[in-house]
Amino acid sequence: MDLETYLSYLNSGRTVVGNSEIHQFMHAVSQEAIRITAEINGRYHAPAELRKLFSELIGKPVDESFGLFPPFYTDCGKNITVGKHVFINSCCQFQDQGGITIGDGSLIGHSAVITTLNHDFSEENRSSMHPAPVVIGKNVWLGARVTIVPGVTIGDGAVVGAGAVVTKDVPPRAVVAGVPARVIRMLDEQEPLL
């Protein structure tokens, strides 16, 4: 199996059966992610060096406008896509096997957790996993300690309050907060996006 086949399988949404060939490949990909994140998190790097390491981690170049404050954690890395002017603050944890896309101008707050895999509910298949992508639109702001569960899309210009657990799609320009997150107001069209 190669990386392209692996990512294609995950992005199709098919189940990763525990101890299958795809599951074993997942563990191999994780080892590379652990190696690269250890380098990112292990010592100081200038912004250009961080962009180079993050590009290696995700397997594609990031724009010069991309910013990251380590530490950063992921157990895959290869299924992350980030736009221009994206900033990821410290202590974020991405479980990206199912795919994480972050649109231009989005800000990811301290200790955000983005997950894209669910384990099977049946005890006999608990080691099997179900991937589902997370899509974060343009100019989104995730507050500190936000958690996003698999399969969620956050619309352009939305704001997610600190500590929220996002379990369903968020409309564009909505402000959501709470556990589970719910819409608390809509941003006015004249209100500038942050």
Side-chain angles (χ1 to χ4, degrees):
M1 178 170 299
D2 62 15
L3 184 61
E4 185 177 334
T5 303
Y6 169 69
L7 292 177
S8 178
Y9 185 94
L10 291 173
N11 292 334
S12 73
R14 290 183 286 174
T15 298
V16 176
V17 175
N19 298 316
S20 65
E21 178 186 6
I22 196 103
H23 193 214
Q24 296 305 314
F25 193 85
M26 181 182 283
H27 284 286
V29 172
S30 293
Q31 293 307 303
E32 181 178 356
I34 291 168
R35 178 186 62 78
I36 297 169
T37 56
E39 176 64 23
I40 288 171
N41 300 334
R43 64 182 181 85
Y44 172 77
H45 298 281
E49 292 175 291
L50 279 174
R51 285 191 297 274
K52 182 177 177 185
L53 285 165
F54 198 83
S55 295
E56 180 184 356
L57 177 66
I58 69 172
K60 50 191 158 287
V62 295
D63 190 76
E64 289 184 7
S65 62
F66 172 78
L68 171 71
F69 282 1
F72 175 81
Y73 305 96
T74 183
D75 53 2
C76 178
K78 298 299 189 231
N79 216 0
I80 298 172
T81 301
V82 296
K84 296 178 180 179
H85 302 284
V86 167
F87 175 70
I88 300 172
N89 218 322
S90 61
C91 297
C92 289
Q93 300 171 49
F94 289 12
Q95 180 199 51
D96 63 287
Q97 287 89 342
I100 296 173
T101 302
I102 302 173
D104 294 347
S106 287
L107 307 173
I108 312 301
H110 290 88
S111 301
V113 175
I114 302 174
T115 63
T116 64
L117 288 176
N118 273 321
H119 284 277
D120 202 271
F121 281 107
S122 69
E123 290 179 38
E124 61 274 4
N125 294 318
R126 189 67 44 89
S127 65
S128 294
M129 292 165 277
H130 307 285
V134 168
V135 177
I136 297 170
K138 295 179 180 179
N139 300 310
V140 170
W141 174 22
L142 301 184
R145 298 192 183 277
V146 164
T147 297
I148 302 173
V149 302
V152 167
T153 295
I154 299 179
D156 293 349
V159 176
V160 181
V165 177
V166 185
T167 61
K168 60 183 179 179
D169 291 354
V170 174
R173 300 184 69 87
V175 178
V176 300
V179 179
R182 65 187 187 292
V183 175
I184 57 173
R185 77 179 187 104
M186 298 298 292
L187 295 173
D188 184 61
E189 288 298 324
Q190 276 65 39
E191 206 167 343
L193 296 176
L194 300 174

